[in-house]
Amino acid sequence: MRVATTTAADHAAKTVDLGIAASTEIDRLLTLLDTTGDGLTGAQARTRLTVAGPNAVRTHRARGLTVLVRQLRSPLLILLALTAAASAMLGESTDALIIAVILTASVGLGFFNEYRAEKSAEALHTRIRHSCLTWRDGHPKAVDVTEIVPGDVVELQLGQVVPADLRLLTATGLECEESALTGESMPVAKSPEPVRAGAALADLTCCALMGTVVSAGSGKGVVVATGGRAEFGKIALGLGQRHPDTEFQMGLTRFSLLLVRVAAVLTGTIFVVNLLLHRPVIDALLFSLAIAVGISPQLLPAVVSTSLAAGTRRLAELKVLVKRLICIEDLGDIDVLFTDKTGTLTEGRIGFMRSLGPDGHAADGPLALGLLCNEAIVGSGGRVAGGNPLDVALWQAPGVETAMASLTAYRRLAVLPFDHERRAMSVLVEDTNGHRTLVTKGAPEAVLARCAGVPATARAALAAEFAAGNRVVAVAGRPFPIGPEQVQLTPADERDLVLDGLLVFLDPPKSTAAGALKRLAGLGISVKVLTGDNPVVAAKLCTDIGLAPGRVLTGEDVDAADDDHLPALIDQATVFARVSPEHKARIIRAQRRGGLDVAFMGDGVNDALALHAADVGVSVDSATDVAKDAADVLLLEKDLNVLADGVLEGRRIFANTMKYVLMGTSSNFGNMVSAAGASLLLGFLPMLPAQILLNNLLYDTGQLAIPTDNVDPEQLARPSRWDVKLIRRFMLFFGPLSSLFDFATFALVLGVFHAGPELFRTSWFVESLATQALVIFVIRTRRTPSFHSRPSVPLLLATLGVIVIGVVLPFTPVAQTLGFQPLPGAYFAALAVMVLLYLGLIELGKRWFYREAPAVAARRPRSTGRRTHRRAGPFTTVDVTTIQPSRSRARRSAARR
């Protein structure tokens, strides 16, 4: 790695190239960064933040121009606008102006709703925060990751996402999972020792890199690069802002392609027919393009955005935050929920109850040893700044002051950090007399297996605590030979231990868990528990809250089953205990292969793999950074009732979106078929281009109230997914039914009222608007008759308002300009009869169509960029302007390499 030239701004921010930092001795590096091993002062940090900018690689700021471009990028709209301009140049200025006004109104309506949705996403992002422990003014302090600056000293803990490119100052058994950056699948051991100059990125063992995850051990490092200057930041910037598409977005794409094909066939046919009938080329082109625009639900993005934005606001009130609006749809697709136990099914308030000696009776010794063998970060006066919940609970235990007094006789010489494979941690301590002791603390099964002998009384006490549903940690130790001052512990040292006792903790069942499980069952979601806890404890908890545990499987059972037999085992079990992170991910992948949509809810470092493996990753705002980073949805309260609310909202939004899609495509398709047929039979255009666009605009405007509509409970009882085949069948079945009544209208106005072009166009305009607007009340529900399902008041008022506008429009002063003329009173009587017959026929057709509801298979391909985009989540800010300096400097630095 060659040295990059630094700019004046770099010097002001006190930054050093990563390659130089990796090969420089620590004391020299701290001098270059103008910092100390105790970090920066608050004033220094604030000054550097103004120069270096936030530690961010992307923004969630809503950009009006971007939204507007999305509205204008439709080729059909652009072509129609160009054709209208050409028409104006040829003297058809009135028609061109009307078309321009209608197009502007359509684009403006879509822009307004999408921009509001973007603003909702921006407001949502401000509520999702990520922090890390940083030394400021000589004390550890929780700081938002976007406020980290070069020169800061950061504590690294198990499960943490590394917040910036760090040069390590200390490392205790530290390993980092760097696959998001280097592609290396195995964790990389880290050490403070400098590496050779010019070492490759994957060989920087003395550095912890932004976006990687602490998979073992702990450490402390000084920040070398932040934001777009960090190695991960450069990759994330290269991916851009756009995330890989979700299943819902891919469904929208497939649906759009269907419409493009249909529109192409109809547009081409109608244009050719009009040319063969020797109609003016411009009129024929405008008419054909208006048909193409008319068949496409132009405001579908606005309807979707409005639904998602409204849903986001409702969910935020219900304490559910989605990282992206589109994730709401994914929530509604859940078939199976795998969840951890702590805090979800339990209160999540782990409290220390008692310590027991090997004889099963109360004893203080195990508590003191538990405080010695402890990874909690403790400040002055015994104030706990963070750490493992069980370790923190020990420091908050009653009588801890007495135990702390005995700790002054010991000093810690070495630490072997906890990991999920060993399920234990060890420390080597030395007392004032020079006697050394190895203390090991961890899961009882793991610790007892390392003991030379275990009293029967201890095993009986352990069984009793498990049967009561309590969590237990075992403590053991042995004398350690006197050796050199610097000792490095290895797992092999954890042998021939003598059991010192048991530490008992309580995390009682959550009072709301039983009711929440019933709600989820009512939504067709089966719940299964994945936990690292003891099988007896997990099964007891599930029984207490009314969740039948079935066959309780362990990690050993999962290992013994191959991929072909694992799905059958999963079906038999509700509880999976003593499972590792890899076990959790494998179980979820096996369940997904069965065609089910799987969600996983977890908040710990050992949950990250499972969160990534699931279709929908759910975590909580108080979770570890790696869990929040891997999740799609964050709950402000760890409660399954909150998740159930999110599922209901996701299904409601999808149901309302599908109402618009099914109704719009079928009605528009029917209108366009009618237009094609009328073009063949009449000596004039059946409807002017401006009238087609106005009809479409009025109709779509009324349907913007669909997101407020009520949804039948039976539609919320199970997931509904995109099915282009169903949409196509619906369009081809109900569209021609609409055309039948269009042709009946043609016969009526031509045969009875002897209509000319203006009267014909006016009558069809009103009939078309009335039928396709009112049919929403039939199509919006699968119930027959439809009045058994009550629509929302806003939808009812919006629909009736649009119909009133359509009926009144021919009688207004603008009627002549639009090509309308007043309709005779007898026409409205005939129209009422036709509308009633039409709605009755649709009712009968709907009963037949839904007689056998088609099954929809789950399909969720994942893009390679999905994980990197997720990992970039913590490094995000709302203020786009402050990111730019980091981006530009990153590009300049990359160019100089």
Side-chain angles (χ1 to χ4, degrees):
M1 182 179 295
R2 292 191 297 274
V3 177
T5 306
T6 56
T7 65
D10 295 335
H11 285 298
K14 304 297 182 184
T15 63
V16 176
D17 179 84
L18 184 64
I20 296 175
S23 59
T24 302
E25 294 293 338
I26 290 175
D27 291 340
R28 171 61 179 160
L29 177 62
L30 293 176
T31 301
L32 292 174
L33 289 169
D34 191 18
T35 187
T36 68
D38 290 332
L40 302 171
T41 66
Q44 285 177 309
R46 287 189 294 272
T47 300
R48 296 189 185 194
L49 186 62
T50 61
V51 177
N55 181 32
V57 295
R58 59 170 54 120
T59 177
H60 273 278
R61 178 170 290 282
R63 302 178 184 88
L65 183 59
T66 302
V67 176
L68 183 60
V69 169
R70 281 204 300 268
Q71 295 295 319
L72 295 173
R73 68 186 178 188
S74 167
L76 282 175
L77 288 179
I78 294 172
L79 187 56
L80 189 60
L82 292 175
T83 308
S87 178
M89 294 173 63
L90 295 175
E92 302 291 337
S93 56
T94 302
D95 287 346
L97 180 61
I98 293 172
I99 293 173
V101 170
I102 293 172
L103 285 178
T104 301
S106 177
V107 170
L109 201 57
F111 169 81
F112 173 75
N113 283 280
E114 283 207 55
Y115 186 69
R116 282 187 64 198
E118 292 274 358
K119 295 295 288 184
S120 295
E122 178 183 309
L124 176 68
H125 175 73
T126 62
R127 301 183 63 175
I128 302 175
R129 313 309 307 164
H130 297 79
S131 62
C132 63
L133 277 177
T134 304
W135 286 82
R136 296 271 176 92
D137 297 311
H139 303 286
K141 176 183 178 182
V143 176
D144 193 289
V145 295
T146 61
E147 296 177 5
I148 298 297
V149 296
D152 265 326
V153 173
V154 175
E155 291 278 354
L156 296 179
Q157 300 171 279
L158 182 65
Q160 181 180 353
V161 177
V162 179
D165 283 352
L166 308 178
R167 170 67 163 86
L168 294 172
L169 304 179
T170 63
T172 305
L174 182 64
E175 294 182 1
C176 291
E177 184 268 307
E178 298 183 340
S179 61
L181 188 61
T182 65
E184 173 60 49
S185 58
M186 298 300 294
V188 178
K190 298 293 182 177
S191 164
E193 297 303 316
V195 299
R196 62 178 177 81
L201 185 66
D203 297 328
L204 300 183
T205 54
C206 63
C207 295
L209 305 174
M210 174 194 271
T212 63
V213 178
V214 179
S215 58
S218 60
K220 182 189 290 187
V222 61
V223 175
V224 175
T226 59
R229 298 173 58 89
E231 297 300 321
F232 177 80
K234 297 169 188 174
I235 293 174
L237 285 175
L239 286 176
Q241 296 279 348
R242 190 176 186 276
H243 288 246
D245 287 344
T246 64
E247 176 69 10
F248 177 72
Q249 289 169 314
M250 288 185 283
L252 279 176
T253 300
R254 293 193 294 271
F255 169 61
S256 299
L257 291 175
L258 167 67
L259 291 181
V260 167
R261 289 193 292 268
V262 173
V265 172
L266 278 179
T267 302
T269 301
I270 292 171
F271 181 64
V272 170
V273 167
N274 278 277
L275 288 182
L276 292 176
L277 294 175
H278 305 293
R279 288 171 185 154
V281 174
I282 290 293
D283 288 351
L285 183 60
L286 278 172
F287 180 71
S288 302
L289 289 174
I291 292 289
V293 172
I295 198 174
S296 62
Q298 284 174 259
L299 293 186
L300 178 61
V303 170
V304 172
S305 298
T306 303
S307 295
L308 295 177
T312 298
R313 291 189 291 271
R314 281 191 291 270
L315 285 177
E317 293 171 359
L318 297 171
K319 302 180 181 179
V320 181
L321 303 182
V322 290
K323 288 186 176 180
R324 293 188 294 148
L325 297 184
I326 207 73
C327 293
I328 298 176
E329 301 283 358
D330 292 338
L331 268 177
D333 287 344
I334 297 173
D335 295 303
V336 181
L337 170 67
F338 288 93
T339 178
D340 63 352
K341 179 173 67 70
T342 304
T344 307
L345 304 179
T346 67
E347 292 293 344
R349 296 191 299 271
I350 299 177
F352 176 73
M353 297 176 64
R354 54 185 168 268
S355 61
L356 305 175
D359 58 358
H361 294 96
D364 294 331
L367 174 59
L369 291 175
L371 293 173
L372 276 176
C373 188
N374 196 291
E375 290 187 287
I377 297 176
V378 183
S380 58
R383 185 165 53 91
V384 181
N388 179 287
L390 292 173
D391 286 342
V392 171
L394 287 178
W395 284 98
Q396 296 172 341
V400 71
E401 294 83 3
T402 303
M404 285 175 60
S406 64
L407 301 184
T408 58
Y410 295 91
R411 67 187 183 105
R412 185 183 294 188
L413 300 180
V415 177
L416 184 60
F418 177 89
D419 68 54
H420 296 288
E421 294 299 324
R422 293 169 33 253
R423 292 187 288 131
M425 75 164 289
S426 295
V427 296
L428 178 62
V429 296
E430 185 179 73
D431 62 17
T432 53
N433 297 320
H435 298 143
R436 294 185 177 183
T437 304
L438 174 72
V439 182
T440 299
K441 174 169 67 73
E445 299 93 332
V447 174
L448 267 57
R450 294 167 169 81
C451 290
V454 180
T457 53
R459 293 191 182 275
L462 179 61
E465 296 295 348
F466 280 158
N470 297 326
R471 299 185 67 171
V472 183
V473 171
V475 183
R478 67 176 175 88
F480 201 84
I482 302 295
E485 181 71 16
Q486 295 295 327
V487 178
Q488 184 173 358
L489 293 178
T490 68
D493 294 318
E494 297 172 335
R495 57 179 171 76
D496 301 326
L497 303 176
V498 176
L499 182 67
D500 287 297
L502 306 174
L503 303 172
V504 183
F505 301 83
L506 175 65
D507 187 10
K510 183 168 286 188
S511 58
T512 59
L517 290 172
K518 290 181 180 178
R519 283 188 67 194
L520 291 171
L523 294 172
I525 299 173
S526 58
V527 178
K528 297 178 184 289
V529 179
L530 300 177
T531 179
D533 210 342
N534 179 271
V536 177
V537 174
K540 172 69 164 56
L541 171 69
C542 290
T543 302
D544 289 345
I545 60 177
L547 182 63
R551 177 181 175 183
V552 179
L553 297 180
T554 65
E556 293 179 355
D557 297 320
V558 176
D559 286 332
D562 58 27
D563 289 344
D564 293 332
H565 293 91
L566 184 57
L569 278 180
I570 295 174
D571 291 339
Q572 299 170 19
T574 299
V575 175
F576 302 82
R578 291 301 190 209
V579 287
S580 68
E582 290 76 15
H583 289 142
K584 294 180 181 181
R586 185 178 173 220
I587 290 168
I588 288 173
R589 286 193 294 266
Q591 188 77 95
R592 287 186 66 205
R593 284 196 297 272
L596 298 174
D597 275 31
V598 179
F600 176 72
M601 183 172 176
D603 64 354
V605 57
N606 58 335
D607 296 325
L609 286 176
L611 286 165
H612 278 299
D615 294 308
V616 183
V618 183
S619 192
V620 291
D621 194 40
S622 58
T624 59
D625 279 350
V626 67
K628 287 198 291 186
D629 151 63
D632 300 297
V633 178
L634 291 181
L635 309 183
L636 296 182
E637 180 179 331
K638 197 171 185 182
D639 189 333
L640 290 179
N641 275 307
V642 177
L643 182 63
D645 292 335
V647 171
L648 277 171
E649 189 61 31
R651 292 183 183 179
R652 192 190 66 80
I653 289 172
F654 185 85
N656 281 337
T657 302
M658 286 305 296
K659 291 175 188 178
Y660 177 83
V661 170
L662 293 176
M663 180 192 60
T665 50
S666 59
S667 296
N668 289 350
F669 178 71
N671 287 339
M672 299 312 106
V673 169
S674 301
S679 297
L680 292 172
L681 300 174
L682 301 175
F684 51 85
L685 291 177
M687 199 182 294
L688 297 176
Q691 294 169 344
I692 294 175
L693 294 174
L694 179 61
N695 183 292
N696 198 49
L697 178 64
L698 288 174
Y699 162 73
D700 274 344
T701 302
Q703 303 319 303
L704 282 176
I706 284 180
T708 69
D709 194 23
N710 303 318
V711 179
D712 299 331
E714 57 267 26
Q715 282 188 268
L716 300 176
R718 61 185 180 87
S720 299
R721 301 184 182 92
W722 276 100
D723 186 355
V724 174
K725 291 183 179 178
L726 172 68
I727 297 171
R728 184 169 59 245
R729 284 180 57 229
F730 196 96
M731 180 178 70
L732 295 177
F733 180 78
F734 288 98
L737 289 182
S738 173
S739 293
L740 287 178
F741 282 85
D742 286 337
F743 286 117
T745 301
F746 299 163
L748 176 71
V749 296
L750 290 174
V752 177
F753 296 103
H754 308 290
E758 288 191 349
L759 182 58
F760 181 93
R761 292 164 181 159
T762 305
S763 62
W764 186 31
F765 178 91
V766 173
E767 181 267 342
S768 172
L769 187 61
T771 53
Q772 68 178 348
L774 288 173
V775 79
I776 181 59
F777 299 118
V778 179
I779 291 178
R780 58 172 296 276
T781 176
R782 293 193 177 191
R783 295 179 179 179
T784 54
S786 300
F787 55 74
H788 287 310
S789 175
R790 182 175 298 177
S792 69
V793 173
L795 178 61
L796 181 65
L797 295 177
T799 302
L800 295 179
V802 164
I803 295 174
V804 169
I805 292 173
V807 170
V808 171
L809 202 56
F811 300 93
T812 63
V814 299
Q816 187 175 1
T817 304
L818 293 171
F820 294 136
Q821 74 174 55
L823 293 167
Y827 170 80
F828 291 105
L831 176 64
V833 173
M834 285 191 295
V835 167
L836 290 175
L837 290 174
Y838 172 63
L839 296 180
L841 182 60
I842 296 297
E843 283 279 10
L844 295 176
K846 183 180 68 174
R847 177 176 295 183
W848 180 88
F849 185 85
Y850 286 123
R851 186 171 52 196
E852 295 182 4
V856 182
R859 178 177 177 271
R860 289 184 174 274
R862 295 304 191 202
S863 166
T864 55
R866 177 184 178 89
R867 189 169 182 179
T868 302
H869 276 285
R870 274 177 162 177
R871 187 62 55 81
F875 312 106
T876 311
T877 185
V878 171
D879 189 354
V880 65
T881 58
T882 56
I883 296 180
Q884 300 306 319
S886 292
R887 289 185 175 180
S888 60
R889 284 197 296 274
R891 284 191 287 267
R892 290 198 300 270
S893 178
R896 289 190 294 266
R897 289 172 183 249

